[in-house]
Amino acid sequence: MHKLLLIAAMATLPAGACLAQSAPLTAPTAAAQQAALTVDQVTRHYADLVYAGYSDSLASAQTMQRAIQRLLAQPSEQTLAAARKAWLQARDFYGQTEAFRFYDGPIDNADGPEGRINAWPMDESYVDYVQGNAKAGIINDRQQPITAEALSELNEKDGEENIATGWHAIEFLLWGQDLSATGPGARPHTDFVLGKKANADRRRQYLQVVTDLLIEDLGTVRSAWAPDAKNNYRASFVASGNEGIRKIFVGLGSLSRGELAGERLEVALASQDQEDEHSCFSDNTHNDAIANARGIENVWLGQYRRLDGSLLRGPGLRDWVAQKNAALAQETTAHVRQSVAAAQQIPAPFDQAIQGQRSSPARAKIQATIDSLIQQSKDLAASAQAVGIARLNIVQPE
């Protein structure tokens, strides 16, 4: 969902006392232990994290693409289940990359593909049939071409809920509407069998095209951060010094407060509406929240567990801030870890967890995650000030 960037003056915030029961802290990086860090070391390692994150997101999405190709070659309950599983696995790696957004970088600048990749919430009737309207959507309009160019033009046309591409369009095609209180959508595999469902040929074509477009867009963003290019975004970012540090803080603060705590959790908690759930068709919203919180933790610590299981590690914002205010860096680390732990406690399915009174155990766990994210955003603002950044452009809740 797109929001305006608002200028937020960051007032000085006290570090306060460390949490009494904080999670164990990871030891500082070797660079931080041996000598004072340079800004170039921090921005360079951040660029390494971004490239690794998008590389893993692309690789896992390509695995999903192959599973979808098998589904289309031989539709069955088994191939549909495998494609859904591959979507869920790929989604986890993409979710961690959302910490790299919100500062006019290659993912979401004026020409960036973020709107094609991850726009939401989605009016599913814009794409395919829904309960009560068997002829709804682009798929059932045989006059509408189904090409990457056409679907890109239709994405968010005449309304931001008119989502035609990206993760959630693929999700809807794999699961269908979520009409169950206890589980996700239950689209039958016969929707992709020629002759079994009206316009199955176009549904098959649509799923193929939007999956291929997602792969193309992820590859474009990955290339912008490639380490072996001289004129891409990464090269200018690494050379930008303190401006690069400012952008890293903007990304973390915006995801923490405006997007995750605000748009993805507070809005749904207040409305109690399934339509405000992020991954509503697959009932994966609770895992989306965990992945987003972990993405913030990755950048703050300078650590990322890769798709192959290896650990990429180097100087993160935590180390940079610790040189100026070790206590604040430690407290922020504790709150960042607390946010991940809180997100892991959000019950599934999310659309049922948001129901009932605010005092209900399930809603209380969502509220605890929101509260932790808000506190961590304040810590991040204080940390930015500690390293000389007085003003940030951060995404605020609408």
Side-chain angles (χ1 to χ4, degrees):
M1 179 177 289
H2 299 296
K3 295 168 291 300
L4 295 177
L5 284 174
L6 304 178
I7 303 298
M10 298 288 103
T12 301
L13 299 175
C18 295
L19 293 179
Q21 295 181 327
S22 61
L25 303 183
T26 309
T29 62
Q33 291 175 328
Q34 294 172 4
L37 290 173
T38 66
V39 66
D40 289 348
Q41 287 176 302
V42 179
T43 56
R44 189 177 301 111
H45 181 63
Y46 173 81
D48 289 342
L49 288 175
V50 178
Y51 181 69
Y54 283 127
S55 293
D56 288 347
S57 182
L58 175 60
S60 58
Q62 288 170 329
T63 298
M64 177 189 70
Q65 181 185 40
R66 291 189 289 271
I68 287 173
Q69 289 169 347
R70 290 190 288 270
L71 165 65
L72 298 179
Q74 190 173 1
S76 68
E77 291 182 5
Q78 291 74 27
T79 54
L80 178 56
R84 289 170 174 170
K85 181 179 179 180
W87 185 94
L88 292 170
Q89 292 173 335
R91 182 68 182 166
D92 182 64
F93 283 95
Y94 180 78
Q96 295 178 69
T97 71
E98 293 207 81
F100 311 142
R101 288 182 53 199
F102 306 110
Y103 52 77
D104 205 33
I107 180 70
D108 54 7
N109 62 22
D111 299 318
E114 198 280 331
R116 283 199 306 268
I117 291 175
N118 196 43
W120 71 287
M122 177 183 178
D123 176 3
E124 54 264 47
S125 67
Y126 188 63
V127 169
D128 200 3
Y129 75 88
V130 293
Q131 188 178 52
N133 190 349
K135 297 182 179 180
I138 298 166
I139 286 172
N140 295 294
D141 178 5
R142 298 197 70 89
Q143 301 303 310
Q144 172 61 56
I146 298 177
T147 64
E149 181 179 5
L151 296 184
S152 294
E153 291 178 356
L154 288 168
N155 192 54
E156 297 186 297
K157 183 178 181 181
D158 299 325
E160 64 178 13
E161 293 187 5
N162 290 343
I163 308 304
T165 66
W167 286 107
H168 300 296
I170 297 170
E171 178 194 11
F172 173 54
L173 288 171
L174 292 178
W175 273 274
Q177 280 183 290
D178 180 7
L179 303 175
S180 169
T182 59
R187 183 187 292 276
H189 75 274
T190 50
D191 275 10
F192 299 100
V193 178
L194 297 176
K196 291 290 186 179
K197 187 79 172 186
N199 295 314
D201 59 328
R202 287 174 59 82
R203 190 169 298 107
R204 292 164 57 88
Q205 182 183 10
Y206 199 111
L207 180 56
Q208 182 71 62
V209 169
V210 292
T211 303
D212 292 348
L213 182 59
L214 176 66
I215 298 299
E216 180 182 343
D217 284 337
L218 290 174
T220 297
V221 178
R222 175 182 180 270
S223 295
W225 289 94
D228 53 356
K230 294 182 178 180
N231 298 314
N232 63 355
Y233 183 86
R234 175 200 176 104
S236 61
F237 181 90
V238 170
S240 67
N242 287 330
E243 174 61 12
I245 298 294
R246 188 192 69 81
K247 288 180 177 179
I248 300 172
F249 273 111
V250 167
L252 298 193
S254 297
L255 177 57
S256 179
R257 181 63 188 102
E259 188 70 25
L260 183 51
E263 292 291 332
R264 301 185 183 185
L265 296 180
E266 282 180 321
V267 169
L269 194 64
S271 71
Q272 298 182 298
D273 189 346
Q274 184 189 50
E275 295 303 313
D276 290 323
E277 182 185 7
H278 197 190
S279 293
C280 61
F281 312 117
S282 61
D283 275 346
N284 193 58
T285 300
H286 62 296
N287 285 323
D288 285 341
I290 295 169
N292 290 169
R294 183 169 289 123
I296 295 168
E297 181 185 46
N298 292 343
V299 175
W300 174 255
L301 295 179
Q303 300 179 17
Y304 167 57
R305 183 68 64 182
R306 299 209 56 182
L307 177 62
D308 64 5
S310 63
L311 180 65
L312 177 60
R313 186 180 179 197
L317 280 187
R318 184 267 308 271
D319 302 307
W320 187 241
V321 173
Q323 293 187 146
K324 296 291 186 180
N325 189 330
L328 176 59
Q330 184 177 5
E331 182 175 7
T332 304
T333 301
H335 281 129
V336 167
R337 289 189 179 281
Q338 184 182 60
S339 294
V340 175
Q344 290 170 333
Q345 296 301 310
I346 295 175
F350 183 85
D351 58 1
Q352 298 306 303
I354 59 178
Q355 304 305 318
Q357 298 297 315
R358 183 170 289 274
S359 60
S360 72
R363 286 173 62 86
K365 289 179 179 179
I366 299 171
Q367 186 62 54
T369 307
I370 293 169
D371 293 344
S372 184
L373 289 164
I374 291 173
Q375 180 57 55
Q376 111 181 354
S377 70
K378 294 177 181 178
D379 293 341
L380 289 167
S383 294
Q385 282 205 324
V387 294
I389 299 170
R391 294 177 66 85
L392 300 174
N393 292 348
I394 63 172
V395 175
Q396 299 281 2
E398 290 185 331

